[in-house]
Amino acid sequence: MDNNIQLPTWLQEQDVSTLAALATDYWRQVETQLTWWLQQQHSETASEAILNLLAWERGINRIPGESLDMFGKRVQLAHINAIDAGSKQGLERIFKRLGFGVVVNERLPEFDWDQLQLAISEADFAEYQPFIMEIIENYGRTCRRYVLNASSNTTTVEAVGLVDFKKEVAK
């Protein structure tokens, strides 16, 4: 902001600089108050009360036990997720944005034509089940049914060796 404010000449020198400092401070406060709402529009910097208003405005429900960070992320991504809603690729992008590794399969031979299979790891499903259900409810197609397929990774160890059964036991 320019501090070289030109004021009327009938004021004394000290009065001019005092009035200029007061005017500068006043307009900075006005600018701060006017831009406050713009700063609150960003869900990562908004207070919890404002975040709840933004969530209501964007049609996002807070899940019981949901962290404020995850709630803010879902509120922040609500518009782009709404654009992606309804398609297989869009649903995969929604899950990816929220940090879930989900694969969406459709038109599988063992399922009815209107069923989508969501393949997710068992650990993620156990931890994030309420989120997954909320995402499906908000962004899934209403004319589709969803089948959740939770899988777990296991490791197996195989040993290979030679056993000689022909050897006679000494008597």
Side-chain angles (χ1 to χ4, degrees):
M1 199 174 246
D2 187 16
N3 288 335
N4 296 328
I5 298 175
Q6 300 295 327
L7 296 173
T9 57
W10 62 85
L11 295 174
Q12 300 297 325
E13 286 182 21
Q14 184 178 1
D15 293 336
V16 171
S17 57
T18 303
L19 185 58
L22 286 172
T24 302
D25 289 342
Y26 173 78
W27 288 112
R28 279 191 187 134
Q29 288 179 5
V30 169
E31 180 183 29
T32 301
Q33 291 173 357
L34 289 174
T35 59
W36 175 82
W37 180 245
L38 293 174
Q39 293 171 353
Q40 296 299 312
Q41 290 291 318
H42 300 289
S43 57
E44 60 272 359
T45 58
S47 65
E48 188 172 355
I50 298 297
L51 188 60
N52 288 332
L53 288 173
L54 291 171
W56 174 80
E57 177 184 64
R58 297 172 188 178
I60 303 295
N61 298 318
R62 187 160 188 189
I63 299 166
E66 181 177 19
S67 69
L68 196 59
D69 290 337
M70 178 60 104
F71 183 53
K73 189 174 187 178
R74 289 192 319 116
V75 170
Q76 177 187 9
L77 297 171
H79 179 71
I80 189 83
N81 287 346
I83 291 170
D84 277 345
S87 69
K88 175 188 168 210
Q89 295 83 6
L91 198 57
E92 286 179 345
R93 285 192 298 265
I94 291 168
F95 278 114
K96 185 176 180 182
R97 277 187 213 108
L98 293 173
F100 305 116
V102 174
V103 176
V104 180
N105 299 311
E106 64 180 343
R107 310 259 187 222
L108 295 174
E110 62 268 13
F111 295 109
D112 291 336
W113 65 271
D114 65 334
Q115 289 181 321
L116 284 177
Q117 179 193 48
L118 301 177
I120 187 169
S121 73
E122 191 174 331
D124 282 348
F125 181 71
E127 186 176 353
Y128 299 114
Q129 182 182 2
F131 296 107
I132 294 167
M133 302 312 245
E134 184 74 18
I135 291 167
I136 292 170
E137 184 178 328
N138 284 345
Y139 304 114
R141 289 184 184 169
T142 56
C143 61
R144 301 300 291 266
R145 293 181 292 164
Y146 294 86
V147 177
L148 297 173
N149 182 13
S151 60
S152 61
N153 295 330
T154 58
T155 56
T156 59
V157 178
E158 296 179 19
V160 178
L162 180 62
V163 178
D164 188 9
F165 289 109
K166 295 180 183 177
K167 193 173 191 183
E168 290 185 27
V169 180
K171 290 185 183 179

